[in-house]
Amino acid sequence: MPAPRPFQWLRPSDPDRKAPAAGQTVAAAVLAGLLTSWLLADGLGVNLLLCAVVVTVGAGIAARAAGRRPRGWTVLWSVLALALLAVPALSEAGWPVLMCTLWALGLASLALHGGRRWPGVLLALPGLLWQLVPGLRWALKGLRGRAAVGRDRVLPVVKAVLVAAVLLAVFGGLFASADAAMADILGSLVPSLDLGELPRHVALFGLGLAIALGFAHIAAGPRRWDRTVVPPGRARGRLEWALPLVALDLMFGAFAVVQAVVVLGGRDSILANTGMSRSEYARQGFWQLLVVTVLTLLVVAVAKRWAPRGTEGDRRLARLLLGTLCLLTLVVVASALGRMWFYVDASGLTTLRLWVLAVEIWLGVVFLLLIAAGLTRSAAWLPRAAVLSAALAAAVYGLMGPDAMIAEQNVARFERTGQLDLRNVRGLSLDAVPALDRLPGDYRTCALGIITFELAADGPKPWYAGSLADSRARRILAERPAVDHSSARETACDRAGLRSDDYFGG
């Protein structure tokens, strides 16, 4: 009897046989690599969108050659991925830009793979990762098959490109020497020939080429992750399964009663008994409640897998206990959000506080989806709805400008109360400049000092590498410069009340 193949569970998801890569697909991938090498070496900005358009064209050619046609969910995931790639063109905040870029890659992979069930959706998101090397092999195989046939077609194209390059170089040089504005435009379009940057350009070219071919490889024949066999968990007896959930529901119910008492006016007595200040009570409670929310999501997933399902009564009991737990978890989410907002009002908004607020809100949406799934006859829509909610949350978080929101909240609080913790705003990106520009004197110098130093060190960016936040910040600081000398910044921070051991950067 032959030994079973490793990863036997992958066999049902094997893709359909792919034809060799078309010449147009390879050409689009090479163009994507060249754009990545040229544009991304200077920064992000609109570069990602430009590269994404070329990658999309290459994947579309490969899909059309394989006889595939776009469907509704394919279009939805693709549009949302492009919306996420618009964030670097608007914002300079590092973490939101990185998160939105990764989500865009995941959604693009999901759009090409398709998927309805949990395996199909979750395994398709990182699907590009294991298509990078196969995509390169697929392209080489296609090129070898066309090498002899296409030689007569390739040589005229190469000659035409060389002639065009010579003509552009000659006439571009003449126009540049004749007009300073034309020289600036051509200078921003022509890539730098610094040999010291050559390894980075080569690495970026390889990355762009591999990603474009990986997406095209998926489009030509995606792995059908929905066919992955996931055996159901062994159903437990009613007592064995229900008793822990009943106990947990009672615990959550007790917490909900306590929160009702607090909301109705019992907070002062609770604080008196615990000896904590309002700020300490809010800060300490939030993190525990966030952990409770995440753990509850895991409990629901595990309990659903092993729930009794032999009879209609078993299924009704599962819906009742799990639905009650999800409803009571919404009370936990509301309590956590209330505590964090109370803490923000007392101490100001920070990057971490805004991030965990957004995560907690998204977790609340997930529990609402779980409740809706329990009330419907079929929950086949739940996997895609959960991923859609996460992707929309990432898009909203990135597009709303979190650093600008943090700066605005802290500056508005300063204008209202005269209190400002400069540690909350000194590490923000260029998005925060319009709000921080409203601060007076030493507060403004201290808050904008690091940004001014970094802008002076980076220098101006080409049109394709900058963002709206970058151009806006440069315009504001050009009109009202902030001191960019480290000693002057430290003196201003001292006068504004920031301790010397709190300095960071620049």
mmCIF file of all heavy atoms in Angstrom, residues 206-247:
data_model
loop_
_atom_site.group_PDB
_atom_site.id
_atom_site.type_symbol
_atom_site.label_atom_id
_atom_site.label_comp_id
_atom_site.label_asym_id
_atom_site.label_seq_id
_atom_site.Cartn_x
_atom_site.Cartn_y
_atom_site.Cartn_z
ATOM 1 N N GLY A 206 13.092 43.288 -8.661
ATOM 2 C CA GLY A 206 12.757 41.884 -8.432
ATOM 3 C C GLY A 206 11.480 41.710 -7.635
ATOM 4 O O GLY A 206 10.662 40.824 -7.934
ATOM 5 N N LEU A 207 11.273 42.582 -6.633
ATOM 6 C CA LEU A 207 10.052 42.494 -5.829
ATOM 7 C C LEU A 207 8.820 42.798 -6.669
ATOM 8 O O LEU A 207 7.817 42.063 -6.624
ATOM 9 C CB LEU A 207 10.142 43.471 -4.654
ATOM 10 C CG LEU A 207 8.925 43.553 -3.737
ATOM 11 C CD1 LEU A 207 8.702 42.215 -3.036
ATOM 12 C CD2 LEU A 207 9.095 44.670 -2.712
ATOM 13 N N GLY A 208 8.875 43.883 -7.433
ATOM 14 C CA GLY A 208 7.727 44.237 -8.269
ATOM 15 C C GLY A 208 7.430 43.181 -9.317
ATOM 16 O O GLY A 208 6.262 42.845 -9.576
ATOM 17 N N LEU A 209 8.489 42.621 -9.929
ATOM 18 C CA LEU A 209 8.299 41.579 -10.934
ATOM 19 C C LEU A 209 7.677 40.332 -10.324
ATOM 20 O O LEU A 209 6.735 39.741 -10.890
ATOM 21 C CB LEU A 209 9.649 41.243 -11.563
ATOM 22 C CG LEU A 209 9.655 40.142 -12.632
ATOM 23 C CD1 LEU A 209 8.920 40.621 -13.886
ATOM 24 C CD2 LEU A 209 11.086 39.730 -12.969
ATOM 25 N N ALA A 210 8.189 39.923 -9.147
ATOM 26 C CA ALA A 210 7.675 38.705 -8.509
ATOM 27 C C ALA A 210 6.220 38.872 -8.090
ATOM 28 O O ALA A 210 5.405 37.957 -8.253
ATOM 29 C CB ALA A 210 8.538 38.355 -7.297
ATOM 30 N N ILE A 211 5.861 40.030 -7.548
ATOM 31 C CA ILE A 211 4.474 40.261 -7.129
ATOM 32 C C ILE A 211 3.545 40.264 -8.337
ATOM 33 O O ILE A 211 2.461 39.654 -8.320
ATOM 34 C CB ILE A 211 4.368 41.572 -6.346
ATOM 35 C CG1 ILE A 211 5.050 41.431 -4.979
ATOM 36 C CG2 ILE A 211 2.912 41.986 -6.168
ATOM 37 C CD1 ILE A 211 5.072 42.692 -4.162
ATOM 38 N N ALA A 212 3.945 40.939 -9.418
ATOM 39 C CA ALA A 212 3.096 40.988 -10.610
ATOM 40 C C ALA A 212 2.901 39.594 -11.203
ATOM 41 O O ALA A 212 1.778 39.208 -11.569
ATOM 42 C CB ALA A 212 3.716 41.925 -11.646
ATOM 43 N N LEU A 213 3.978 38.814 -11.292
ATOM 44 C CA LEU A 213 3.852 37.455 -11.829
ATOM 45 C C LEU A 213 3.074 36.553 -10.878
ATOM 46 O O LEU A 213 2.356 35.654 -11.312
ATOM 47 C CB LEU A 213 5.241 36.875 -12.097
ATOM 48 C CG LEU A 213 6.000 37.486 -13.281
ATOM 49 C CD1 LEU A 213 7.400 36.906 -13.377
ATOM 50 C CD2 LEU A 213 5.240 37.264 -14.589
ATOM 51 N N GLY A 214 3.239 36.765 -9.572
ATOM 52 C CA GLY A 214 2.475 35.979 -8.608
ATOM 53 C C GLY A 214 0.980 36.186 -8.757
ATOM 54 O O GLY A 214 0.197 35.216 -8.782
ATOM 55 N N PHE A 215 0.563 37.444 -8.890
ATOM 56 C CA PHE A 215 -0.862 37.710 -9.087
ATOM 57 C C PHE A 215 -1.349 37.163 -10.429
ATOM 58 O O PHE A 215 -2.470 36.637 -10.527
ATOM 59 C CB PHE A 215 -1.131 39.209 -9.008
ATOM 60 C CG PHE A 215 -1.253 39.732 -7.608
ATOM 61 C CD1 PHE A 215 -0.526 40.830 -7.190
ATOM 62 C CD2 PHE A 215 -2.099 39.128 -6.695
ATOM 63 C CE1 PHE A 215 -0.637 41.316 -5.894
ATOM 64 C CE2 PHE A 215 -2.220 39.604 -5.402
ATOM 65 C CZ PHE A 215 -1.486 40.699 -5.006
ATOM 66 N N ALA A 216 -0.534 37.299 -11.474
ATOM 67 C CA ALA A 216 -0.931 36.758 -12.768
ATOM 68 C C ALA A 216 -1.046 35.234 -12.718
ATOM 69 O O ALA A 216 -1.947 34.648 -13.332
ATOM 70 C CB ALA A 216 0.080 37.174 -13.840
ATOM 71 N N HIS A 217 -0.133 34.593 -11.973
ATOM 72 C CA HIS A 217 -0.181 33.134 -11.829
ATOM 73 C C HIS A 217 -1.465 32.703 -11.132
ATOM 74 O O HIS A 217 -2.089 31.693 -11.506
ATOM 75 C CB HIS A 217 1.046 32.687 -11.034
ATOM 76 C CG HIS A 217 1.287 31.216 -11.075
ATOM 77 N ND1 HIS A 217 1.383 30.442 -9.938
ATOM 78 C CD2 HIS A 217 1.440 30.363 -12.113
ATOM 79 C CE1 HIS A 217 1.591 29.188 -10.274
ATOM 80 N NE2 HIS A 217 1.633 29.113 -11.592
ATOM 81 N N ILE A 218 -1.869 33.456 -10.108
ATOM 82 C CA ILE A 218 -3.136 33.151 -9.434
ATOM 83 C C ILE A 218 -4.308 33.340 -10.391
ATOM 84 O O ILE A 218 -5.221 32.500 -10.468
ATOM 85 C CB ILE A 218 -3.322 34.056 -8.202
ATOM 86 C CG1 ILE A 218 -2.228 33.803 -7.166
ATOM 87 C CG2 ILE A 218 -4.683 33.820 -7.556
ATOM 88 C CD1 ILE A 218 -2.233 34.793 -6.023
ATOM 89 N N ALA A 219 -4.276 34.443 -11.143
ATOM 90 C CA ALA A 219 -5.388 34.730 -12.053
ATOM 91 C C ALA A 219 -5.527 33.653 -13.120
ATOM 92 O O ALA A 219 -6.643 33.325 -13.540
ATOM 93 C CB ALA A 219 -5.176 36.097 -12.706
ATOM 94 N N ALA A 220 -4.408 33.075 -13.563
ATOM 95 C CA ALA A 220 -4.462 32.057 -14.604
ATOM 96 C C ALA A 220 -5.007 30.728 -14.092
ATOM 97 O O ALA A 220 -5.595 29.962 -14.869
ATOM 98 C CB ALA A 220 -3.068 31.857 -15.197
ATOM 99 N N GLY A 221 -4.815 30.438 -12.809
ATOM 100 C CA GLY A 221 -5.307 29.179 -12.255
ATOM 101 C C GLY A 221 -5.223 29.199 -10.746
ATOM 102 O O GLY A 221 -4.236 28.742 -10.174
ATOM 103 N N PRO A 222 -6.223 29.748 -10.069
ATOM 104 C CA PRO A 222 -6.150 29.874 -8.603
ATOM 105 C C PRO A 222 -6.307 28.543 -7.896
ATOM 106 O O PRO A 222 -6.953 27.619 -8.401
ATOM 107 C CB PRO A 222 -7.324 30.804 -8.278
ATOM 108 C CG PRO A 222 -8.303 30.548 -9.378
ATOM 109 C CD PRO A 222 -7.488 30.274 -10.605
ATOM 110 N N ARG A 223 -5.700 28.459 -6.749
ATOM 111 C CA ARG A 223 -5.922 27.288 -5.890
ATOM 112 C C ARG A 223 -7.291 27.437 -5.230
ATOM 113 O O ARG A 223 -7.603 28.476 -4.667
ATOM 114 C CB ARG A 223 -4.821 27.193 -4.830
ATOM 115 C CG ARG A 223 -4.931 25.951 -3.965
ATOM 116 C CD ARG A 223 -3.733 25.821 -3.059
ATOM 117 N NE ARG A 223 -2.552 25.402 -3.787
ATOM 118 C CZ ARG A 223 -2.275 24.148 -4.103
ATOM 119 N NH1 ARG A 223 -3.124 23.178 -3.770
ATOM 120 N NH2 ARG A 223 -1.184 23.848 -4.755
ATOM 121 N N ARG A 224 -8.098 26.405 -5.299
ATOM 122 C CA ARG A 224 -9.474 26.460 -4.795
ATOM 123 C C ARG A 224 -9.476 26.065 -3.316
ATOM 124 O O ARG A 224 -9.731 24.916 -2.954
ATOM 125 C CB ARG A 224 -10.374 25.533 -5.600
ATOM 126 C CG ARG A 224 -10.403 25.857 -7.093
ATOM 127 C CD ARG A 224 -10.979 27.234 -7.358
ATOM 128 N NE ARG A 224 -11.074 27.531 -8.780
ATOM 129 C CZ ARG A 224 -11.525 28.675 -9.276
ATOM 130 N NH1 ARG A 224 -11.910 29.639 -8.456
ATOM 131 N NH2 ARG A 224 -11.586 28.872 -10.579
ATOM 132 N N TRP A 225 -9.208 27.037 -2.483
ATOM 133 C CA TRP A 225 -9.120 26.751 -1.048
ATOM 134 C C TRP A 225 -10.459 26.319 -0.466
ATOM 135 O O TRP A 225 -10.495 25.664 0.582
ATOM 136 C CB TRP A 225 -8.613 27.984 -0.304
ATOM 137 C CG TRP A 225 -7.201 28.358 -0.624
ATOM 138 C CD1 TRP A 225 -6.777 29.469 -1.287
ATOM 139 C CD2 TRP A 225 -6.014 27.628 -0.284
ATOM 140 N NE1 TRP A 225 -5.410 29.468 -1.390
ATOM 141 C CE2 TRP A 225 -4.912 28.352 -0.773
ATOM 142 C CE3 TRP A 225 -5.784 26.416 0.381
ATOM 143 C CZ2 TRP A 225 -3.600 27.920 -0.609
ATOM 144 C CZ3 TRP A 225 -4.475 25.989 0.549
ATOM 145 C CH2 TRP A 225 -3.403 26.728 0.050
ATOM 146 N N ASP A 226 -11.550 26.678 -1.121
ATOM 147 C CA ASP A 226 -12.862 26.262 -0.620
ATOM 148 C C ASP A 226 -13.028 24.744 -0.621
ATOM 149 O O ASP A 226 -13.880 24.211 0.097
ATOM 150 C CB ASP A 226 -13.973 26.887 -1.482
ATOM 151 C CG ASP A 226 -14.433 28.222 -0.925
ATOM 152 O OD1 ASP A 226 -14.124 28.500 0.246
ATOM 153 O OD2 ASP A 226 -15.085 28.975 -1.652
ATOM 154 N N ARG A 227 -12.230 24.053 -1.431
ATOM 155 C CA ARG A 227 -12.326 22.606 -1.487
ATOM 156 C C ARG A 227 -11.549 21.925 -0.355
ATOM 157 O O ARG A 227 -11.568 20.702 -0.255
ATOM 158 C CB ARG A 227 -11.786 22.115 -2.829
ATOM 159 C CG ARG A 227 -12.545 22.667 -4.041
ATOM 160 C CD ARG A 227 -11.844 22.274 -5.333
ATOM 161 N NE ARG A 227 -12.464 22.891 -6.502
ATOM 162 C CZ ARG A 227 -11.920 22.879 -7.708
ATOM 163 N NH1 ARG A 227 -10.755 22.272 -7.899
ATOM 164 N NH2 ARG A 227 -12.531 23.466 -8.723
ATOM 165 N N THR A 228 -10.844 22.717 0.432
ATOM 166 C CA THR A 228 -10.075 22.141 1.535
ATOM 167 C C THR A 228 -11.014 21.434 2.502
ATOM 168 O O THR A 228 -12.031 21.993 2.936
ATOM 169 C CB THR A 228 -9.297 23.244 2.280
ATOM 170 O OG1 THR A 228 -8.469 23.933 1.338
ATOM 171 C CG2 THR A 228 -8.433 22.652 3.374
ATOM 172 N N VAL A 229 -10.690 20.204 2.835
ATOM 173 C CA VAL A 229 -11.533 19.389 3.712
ATOM 174 C C VAL A 229 -11.193 19.706 5.166
ATOM 175 O O VAL A 229 -10.060 19.521 5.612
ATOM 176 C CB VAL A 229 -11.342 17.888 3.428
ATOM 177 C CG1 VAL A 229 -12.193 17.060 4.379
ATOM 178 C CG2 VAL A 229 -11.675 17.584 1.979
ATOM 179 N N VAL A 230 -12.163 20.237 5.890
ATOM 180 C CA VAL A 230 -12.001 20.501 7.329
ATOM 181 C C VAL A 230 -13.007 19.619 8.064
ATOM 182 O O VAL A 230 -14.210 19.904 8.053
ATOM 183 C CB VAL A 230 -12.248 21.984 7.659
ATOM 184 C CG1 VAL A 230 -12.074 22.226 9.145
ATOM 185 C CG2 VAL A 230 -11.311 22.876 6.855
ATOM 186 N N PRO A 231 -12.566 18.535 8.670
ATOM 187 C CA PRO A 231 -13.515 17.637 9.344
ATOM 188 C C PRO A 231 -14.188 18.337 10.507
ATOM 189 O O PRO A 231 -13.551 19.100 11.246
ATOM 190 C CB PRO A 231 -12.630 16.482 9.822
ATOM 191 C CG PRO A 231 -11.249 17.040 9.892
ATOM 192 C CD PRO A 231 -11.170 18.074 8.814
ATOM 193 N N PRO A 232 -15.475 18.131 10.708
ATOM 194 C CA PRO A 232 -16.183 18.779 11.825
ATOM 195 C C PRO A 232 -15.708 18.215 13.157
ATOM 196 O O PRO A 232 -15.265 17.069 13.255
ATOM 197 C CB PRO A 232 -17.650 18.442 11.563
ATOM 198 C CG PRO A 232 -17.606 17.184 10.750
ATOM 199 C CD PRO A 232 -16.373 17.271 9.915
ATOM 200 N N GLY A 233 -15.789 19.057 14.181
ATOM 201 C CA GLY A 233 -15.415 18.603 15.514
ATOM 202 C C GLY A 233 -16.421 17.597 16.058
ATOM 203 O O GLY A 233 -17.602 17.613 15.695
ATOM 204 N N ARG A 234 -15.950 16.731 16.919
ATOM 205 C CA ARG A 234 -16.836 15.732 17.516
ATOM 206 C C ARG A 234 -17.827 16.411 18.453
ATOM 207 O O ARG A 234 -17.438 17.143 19.363
ATOM 208 C CB ARG A 234 -16.017 14.696 18.295
ATOM 209 C CG ARG A 234 -16.866 13.570 18.873
ATOM 210 C CD ARG A 234 -15.978 12.505 19.476
ATOM 211 N NE ARG A 234 -15.237 13.016 20.605
ATOM 212 C CZ ARG A 234 -15.697 13.041 21.861
ATOM 213 N NH1 ARG A 234 -16.920 12.597 22.118
ATOM 214 N NH2 ARG A 234 -14.949 13.499 22.838
ATOM 215 N N ALA A 235 -19.111 16.195 18.167
ATOM 216 C CA ALA A 235 -20.147 16.824 18.982
ATOM 217 C C ALA A 235 -20.086 16.300 20.419
ATOM 218 O O ALA A 235 -19.950 15.093 20.652
ATOM 219 C CB ALA A 235 -21.527 16.565 18.380
ATOM 220 N N ARG A 236 -20.205 17.185 21.380
ATOM 221 C CA ARG A 236 -20.190 16.817 22.788
ATOM 222 C C ARG A 236 -21.618 16.620 23.299
ATOM 223 O O ARG A 236 -22.592 17.077 22.691
ATOM 224 C CB ARG A 236 -19.490 17.902 23.620
ATOM 225 C CG ARG A 236 -18.115 18.270 23.105
ATOM 226 C CD ARG A 236 -17.115 17.150 23.302
ATOM 227 N NE ARG A 236 -15.819 17.469 22.710
ATOM 228 C CZ ARG A 236 -14.739 16.719 22.845
ATOM 229 N NH1 ARG A 236 -14.812 15.592 23.538
ATOM 230 N NH2 ARG A 236 -13.603 17.050 22.264
ATOM 231 N N GLY A 237 -21.728 15.984 24.456
ATOM 232 C CA GLY A 237 -23.032 15.863 25.080
ATOM 233 C C GLY A 237 -23.521 17.205 25.591
ATOM 234 O O GLY A 237 -22.752 18.141 25.802
ATOM 235 N N ARG A 238 -24.834 17.290 25.797
ATOM 236 C CA ARG A 238 -25.411 18.568 26.228
ATOM 237 C C ARG A 238 -24.805 19.073 27.526
ATOM 238 O O ARG A 238 -24.408 20.240 27.633
ATOM 239 C CB ARG A 238 -26.929 18.416 26.401
ATOM 240 C CG ARG A 238 -27.711 18.455 25.111
ATOM 241 C CD ARG A 238 -29.181 18.677 25.402
ATOM 242 N NE ARG A 238 -29.976 18.700 24.183
ATOM 243 C CZ ARG A 238 -31.272 18.992 24.159
ATOM 244 N NH1 ARG A 238 -31.897 19.272 25.298
ATOM 245 N NH2 ARG A 238 -31.942 19.002 23.017
ATOM 246 N N LEU A 239 -24.698 18.211 28.517
ATOM 247 C CA LEU A 239 -24.178 18.640 29.817
ATOM 248 C C LEU A 239 -22.720 19.053 29.705
ATOM 249 O O LEU A 239 -22.314 20.107 30.215
ATOM 250 C CB LEU A 239 -24.338 17.525 30.844
ATOM 251 C CG LEU A 239 -23.840 17.860 32.263
ATOM 252 C CD1 LEU A 239 -24.664 19.002 32.851
ATOM 253 C CD2 LEU A 239 -23.930 16.625 33.157
ATOM 254 N N GLU A 240 -21.926 18.241 29.045
ATOM 255 C CA GLU A 240 -20.497 18.520 28.906
ATOM 256 C C GLU A 240 -20.257 19.837 28.179
ATOM 257 O O GLU A 240 -19.315 20.568 28.483
ATOM 258 C CB GLU A 240 -19.833 17.368 28.153
ATOM 259 C CG GLU A 240 -18.338 17.532 27.928
ATOM 260 C CD GLU A 240 -17.769 16.426 27.081
ATOM 261 O OE1 GLU A 240 -18.539 15.535 26.647
ATOM 262 O OE2 GLU A 240 -16.544 16.444 26.838
ATOM 263 N N TRP A 241 -21.114 20.163 27.215
ATOM 264 C CA TRP A 241 -20.912 21.369 26.413
ATOM 265 C C TRP A 241 -21.612 22.576 27.020
ATOM 266 O O TRP A 241 -21.063 23.685 27.031
ATOM 267 C CB TRP A 241 -21.455 21.102 25.005
ATOM 268 C CG TRP A 241 -21.381 22.289 24.093
ATOM 269 C CD1 TRP A 241 -20.332 22.674 23.312
ATOM 270 C CD2 TRP A 241 -22.419 23.253 23.851
ATOM 271 N NE1 TRP A 241 -20.634 23.815 22.612
ATOM 272 C CE2 TRP A 241 -21.915 24.187 22.921
ATOM 273 C CE3 TRP A 241 -23.723 23.413 24.335
ATOM 274 C CZ2 TRP A 241 -22.675 25.260 22.467
ATOM 275 C CZ3 TRP A 241 -24.474 24.484 23.874
ATOM 276 C CH2 TRP A 241 -23.950 25.395 22.945
ATOM 277 N N ALA A 242 -22.821 22.388 27.548
ATOM 278 C CA ALA A 242 -23.639 23.528 27.956
ATOM 279 C C ALA A 242 -23.264 24.080 29.322
ATOM 280 O O ALA A 242 -23.368 25.298 29.551
ATOM 281 C CB ALA A 242 -25.121 23.137 27.952
ATOM 282 N N LEU A 243 -22.837 23.231 30.266
ATOM 283 C CA LEU A 243 -22.564 23.709 31.628
ATOM 284 C C LEU A 243 -21.513 24.818 31.661
ATOM 285 O O LEU A 243 -21.732 25.859 32.309
ATOM 286 C CB LEU A 243 -22.155 22.524 32.515
ATOM 287 C CG LEU A 243 -21.903 22.878 33.994
ATOM 288 C CD1 LEU A 243 -23.165 23.467 34.616
ATOM 289 C CD2 LEU A 243 -21.448 21.636 34.764
ATOM 290 N N PRO A 244 -20.357 24.667 30.991
ATOM 291 C CA PRO A 244 -19.401 25.781 31.007
ATOM 292 C C PRO A 244 -19.959 27.059 30.402
ATOM 293 O O PRO A 244 -19.685 28.160 30.902
ATOM 294 C CB PRO A 244 -18.226 25.244 30.177
ATOM 295 C CG PRO A 244 -18.357 23.759 30.242
ATOM 296 C CD PRO A 244 -19.819 23.489 30.278
ATOM 297 N N LEU A 245 -20.769 26.925 29.339
ATOM 298 C CA LEU A 245 -21.318 28.128 28.719
ATOM 299 C C LEU A 245 -22.351 28.797 29.619
ATOM 300 O O LEU A 245 -22.426 30.037 29.678
ATOM 301 C CB LEU A 245 -21.951 27.777 27.375
ATOM 302 C CG LEU A 245 -20.983 27.614 26.195
ATOM 303 C CD1 LEU A 245 -21.764 27.321 24.929
ATOM 304 C CD2 LEU A 245 -20.132 28.848 26.011
ATOM 305 N N VAL A 246 -23.164 28.021 30.310
ATOM 306 C CA VAL A 246 -24.133 28.602 31.244
ATOM 307 C C VAL A 246 -23.405 29.376 32.336
ATOM 308 O O VAL A 246 -23.794 30.501 32.697
ATOM 309 C CB VAL A 246 -25.025 27.505 31.842
ATOM 310 C CG1 VAL A 246 -25.866 28.060 32.989
ATOM 311 C CG2 VAL A 246 -25.941 26.910 30.765
ATOM 312 N N ALA A 247 -22.334 28.778 32.879
ATOM 313 C CA ALA A 247 -21.572 29.466 33.914
ATOM 314 C C ALA A 247 -20.971 30.763 33.380
ATOM 315 O O ALA A 247 -20.973 31.802 34.054
ATOM 316 C CB ALA A 247 -20.468 28.539 34.433
#
